[in-house]
Amino acid sequence: MQDFDLPFRPVHRRDGYLPLEDHGLVGDGTTAALVGLDGAISWMCLPRFDSEAVFCALLDHGRGGHFTVAPEDLHEARQRYEPDSGVLQTELRSATGLVRVTDALVLRSGADLFDDAPSSRGELVRSAVVLDGEVRLVAELEPRGGGQAQPLYSGVEIRPARRADLRLHLRSNRPLTGLRTTYDLRRGDRLDLVLSWGRFHRHHRFDPDAMMQETTAAWRRWMRAFDYAGPQEALVRRSAITLKMCDDWASGSLAAAPTSSLPAPIGGTRNWDYRYAWIRDASFAVFALRRIGFHGEADAFLGWVLDAFERSRGPRIMYTLDGAPVPDEFEDAELEGYAGSSPVRWGNGAADQRQHDVYGEILDCADQWSRRGGEIQPAMWTRLTALADTAQDAWRRPDQGIWEIRSAGRPFTYSAGLCHVALDRAASIAQRLGLPADAGRWYGAADRLRNLILQQSWDENAQTLSVYLDGGGVVDASLLGLSLRHVIPADHPRMVATTRAVAERLSAGNGLLFRYRHAEHPDGLVGDEGAFVLCSFWLVDNLIGQGRLEEAAELYASLCARASPLGLLSEQIDPATGAFMGNFPQAFSHIGIIASGVNLARTKGGY
């Protein structure tokens, strides 16, 4: 990872699709794009993360649309990032030559990535230079559904057929003949392309080099805040940048992933739209980013959570990046899905589920906010106290749980654990700030709930806490989260036993874990899934808390070795092949890289 001497790899497609791990991510805090090892941008939503995709060949290689810059007879390629930046290089070799394509969603000159403000120029720069020999280079831009191109200023205007609201402008240092142009180039020749949306540059200087340099400089200024000295430092650095590229810089929210409907597994129907902000994800991200020096991002996430909660009628598990309700879920029959995995879905039907952990997530964020000097105003405190009072009884009622099952709800142990968190954090805020509330009552209720979990969820025969609060001995990986949220200490005998049970019974082999076994834990969906990457990082954290440092370090190293050559991770991994599954790159997985790395470093005294 981050090795500038990485070997070239053959460009292989399965049924027209590259493996997910053969893609890199570029982003500008407003949207993001996936760039394949084949030189194609196969995913990009404009103008924002959650807008309709203009290029989504990732979900239908024939009809989804793409923006490709590549030699006609491509044989092999490799990718790498400019160090400490979101600027991506792809080197593509044909039978006759070698070309490097540098891609970036470019940032404003002098952009300050610490600001809670947009830094995007609304432009994608693709710069190609021939490094050796001669190449016939194809530049092809095809929006989903096609489009019309006509000469305009120094390039062409493109009107996507599906997007009457969107006008694209493509400029180049060489003549453009429309949506597809072929160039015969030799060593030293360049092709610079700038795709703009929202504004056209008739009289502006065409200077892709300057835009790239300013973008790289902005990323590196931001990375000066990086503070980590521990295992896998290069991968932790890349994970920080990846999370930043999943972040909406203006609002402070975080997309769970920049993609939708990538299947887990291929051929299955577990295809979801992850381009939204989960309160749960934001809460975990706060812990991770603050611990490696990015306090501003952590505070922005906390502020966004409280803003979204204040504006909504009731607590929601997820919001759009602007803090609005998530659109209704629907299936898109026009797209075949990645490698034929239908349906393709937009929106997310889990948005209106009952998930009791949200009470704990919101109050934990409020607690962290206030500890950082943030003000809890009276109106906000009134709503937070009501949330704590609701949590005091909510755990008794069935919900859909952290994994958002689409079957009948049950009282989940993790949900009860997060209701404990809600009560504990509300009491902490009230006591610390002297706010009007009966903190003692909340502390007492939290203690009783913890003890109830330890007694009622425990199965003596199975020697484990159970996924359901009424026991039964069925396990799922969410139980590992109880120690991370300070509900039950990691070294408590029943947590030690539960960790052992989860590691053994949910093992997918080689350190990977399933979230749960579908035969034991029906979720209302057909088929199984892959190993869920974050769960293995949770196992690392529990091993650390139990003093099993060598095991934890070995597991952490094995998980990090599964990252792509660019240092990216998906939501899930196919245990049989190691292939990536699910939406990509997944913020949760990169949060795990950071959090477990910090835990290891601090425990070993190196950080």
Side-chain angles (χ1 to χ4, degrees):
M1 201 280 292
Q2 292 299 289
D3 182 353
F4 269 56
D5 293 319
L6 285 169
F8 283 87
R9 312 198 303 279
V11 178
H12 286 313
R13 298 179 181 86
R14 174 184 173 181
D15 300 325
Y17 296 87
L18 289 176
L20 295 182
E21 49 267 42
D22 283 354
H23 293 84
L25 181 73
V26 294
D28 62 2
T30 301
T31 190
L34 289 182
V35 184
L37 198 63
D38 58 356
I41 290 179
S42 58
W43 179 264
M44 187 173 179
C45 299
L46 292 178
R48 295 179 50 79
F49 289 104
D50 53 3
S51 302
E52 180 176 323
V54 175
F55 308 124
C56 60
L58 193 67
L59 299 180
D60 193 315
H61 72 93
R63 295 172 296 181
H66 61 97
F67 182 11
T68 299
V69 178
E72 271 191 344
D73 54 347
L74 176 61
H75 288 178
E76 58 183 13
R78 62 182 179 180
Q79 289 182 303
R80 60 199 179 198
Y81 280 107
E82 285 281 356
D84 280 352
S85 84
V87 177
L88 179 67
Q89 294 181 345
T90 307
E91 292 185 353
L92 307 112
R93 193 192 303 279
S94 71
T96 59
L98 175 66
V99 62
R100 175 187 295 154
V101 179
T102 303
D103 287 294
L105 282 160
V106 290
L107 307 177
R108 291 183 290 102
S109 176
D112 182 356
L113 276 59
F114 294 102
D115 259 352
D116 294 338
S119 294
S120 169
R121 292 175 56 99
E123 293 181 291
L124 169 71
V125 174
R126 311 203 70 189
S127 290
V129 58
V130 180
L131 301 178
D132 190 35
E134 299 178 350
V135 297
R136 173 160 287 183
L137 196 66
V138 176
E140 183 174 24
L141 191 157
E142 181 183 337
R144 179 186 175 185
Q148 294 183 337
Q150 63 181 15
L152 182 69
Y153 308 151
S154 58
V156 294
E157 177 191 27
I158 302 162
R159 291 184 175 268
R162 292 177 56 91
R163 296 287 302 276
D165 62 314
L166 191 65
R167 296 171 67 199
L168 306 177
H169 186 211
L170 183 64
R171 293 183 293 160
S172 177
N173 63 330
R174 294 177 180 270
L176 294 164
T177 59
L179 295 178
R180 178 185 171 97
T181 308
T182 301
Y183 304 93
D184 289 314
L185 305 177
R186 61 183 61 193
R187 183 172 181 173
D189 288 346
R190 289 186 55 154
L191 171 67
D192 293 316
L193 298 163
V194 178
L195 179 66
S196 307
W197 49 95
R199 58 179 183 170
F200 291 168
H201 301 286
R202 182 173 186 177
H203 300 297
H204 288 201
R205 188 163 57 114
F206 182 80
D207 196 344
D209 268 348
M211 287 191 279
M212 286 287 196
Q213 290 168 10
E214 290 161 357
T215 299
T216 302
W219 279 108
R220 289 176 178 166
R221 285 194 297 271
W222 180 74
M223 281 296 291
R224 290 174 191 163
F226 181 83
D227 181 16
Y228 174 82
Q232 303 288 336
E233 181 179 339
L235 190 58
V236 173
R237 298 182 84 93
R238 179 49 50 189
S239 291
I241 294 171
T242 302
L243 287 180
K244 186 68 172 176
M245 286 196 283
C246 292
D247 176 14
D248 183 273
W249 299 351
S251 70
S253 58
L254 176 77
T259 54
S260 176
S261 298
L262 292 177
I266 290 176
T269 61
R270 297 169 182 270
N271 315 327
W272 314 114
D273 190 349
Y274 275 13
R275 300 170 301 151
Y276 307 111
W278 272 251
I279 299 293
R280 182 185 308 123
D281 297 43
S283 180
F284 278 100
V286 165
F287 283 114
L289 287 174
R290 177 171 291 145
R291 296 169 83 187
I292 57 171
F294 295 107
H295 302 283
E297 280 69 23
D299 289 346
F301 289 153
L302 292 173
W304 174 82
V305 168
L306 296 180
D307 285 344
F309 168 61
E310 191 171 36
R311 293 201 305 269
S312 59
R313 294 181 179 178
R316 295 177 175 270
I317 64 169
M318 73 178 87
Y319 298 83
T320 68
L321 300 181
D322 289 332
V326 169
D328 292 339
E329 181 176 299
F330 69 96
E331 296 181 3
D332 188 338
E334 292 184 6
L335 300 175
E336 72 170 16
Y338 177 80
S341 303
S342 62
V344 169
R345 294 185 175 96
W346 310 110
N348 198 302
D352 295 322
Q353 283 187 353
R354 176 182 292 154
Q355 295 180 26
H356 298 321
D357 68 308
V358 71
Y359 309 125
E361 305 293 4
I362 291 172
L363 275 155
D364 188 57
C365 286
D367 185 45
Q368 292 185 67
W369 172 260
S370 66
R371 288 178 186 276
R372 293 281 300 165
E375 184 180 1
I376 303 291
Q377 296 182 350
M380 172 61 78
W381 180 237
T382 298
R383 297 198 64 190
L384 292 174
T385 57
L387 209 61
D389 288 338
T390 300
Q392 188 165 338
D393 294 310
W395 57 269
R396 305 175 191 273
R397 299 189 293 272
D399 73 339
Q400 265 58 49
I402 183 177
W403 305 130
E404 300 173 359
I405 63 169
R406 298 204 173 193
S407 58
R410 295 278 298 270
F412 285 97
T413 298
Y414 184 83
S415 297
L418 268 290
C419 286
H420 160 91
V421 169
L423 293 161
D424 178 80
R425 305 308 190 266
S428 173
I429 295 169
Q431 193 172 69
R432 189 174 60 255
L433 301 183
L435 296 175
D438 188 348
R441 175 173 63 86
W442 284 334
Y443 273 134
D447 285 342
R448 288 191 295 274
L449 186 49
R450 177 196 286 115
N451 291 331
L452 183 144
I453 290 169
L454 283 167
Q455 298 303 318
Q456 195 166 307
S457 175
W458 178 255
D459 187 284
E460 185 65 26
N461 291 330
Q463 285 292 292
T464 183
L465 297 171
S466 308
V467 62
Y468 305 121
L469 195 55
D470 56 3
V474 175
V475 297
D476 86 346
S478 70
L479 296 169
L480 298 175
L482 294 174
S483 64
L484 308 185
R485 309 315 297 272
H486 306 292
V487 179
I488 303 171
D491 59 357
H492 187 286
R494 292 196 170 180
M495 197 66 223
V496 172
T498 299
T499 301
R500 183 184 307 113
V502 169
E504 292 174 356
R505 292 170 54 184
L506 299 184
S507 173
N510 300 311
L512 296 176
L513 292 178
F514 296 113
R515 291 189 293 181
Y516 46 86
R517 297 285 183 181
H518 294 81
E520 298 178 336
H521 183 355
D523 60 9
L525 298 166
V526 177
D528 290 331
E529 59 184 6
F532 202 85
V533 176
L534 180 64
C535 296
S536 290
F537 286 112
W538 287 354
L539 179 56
V540 171
D541 295 333
N542 275 272
L543 293 175
I544 294 169
Q546 293 162 19
R548 299 159 64 183
L549 298 187
E550 288 189 11
E551 292 175 70
E554 183 178 348
L555 176 56
Y556 181 70
S558 74
L559 296 172
C560 291
R562 293 183 179 275
S564 75
L566 288 172
L568 304 179
L569 276 172
S570 58
E571 175 189 44
Q572 298 182 30
I573 289 176
D574 184 336
T577 65
F580 287 2
M581 300 165 56
N583 282 301
F584 169 82
Q586 178 81 357
F588 245 173
S589 300
H590 291 277
I591 289 168
I593 289 172
I594 295 170
S596 295
V598 169
N599 287 338
L600 273 171
R602 290 186 173 179
T603 304
K604 290 186 172 184
Y607 177 48

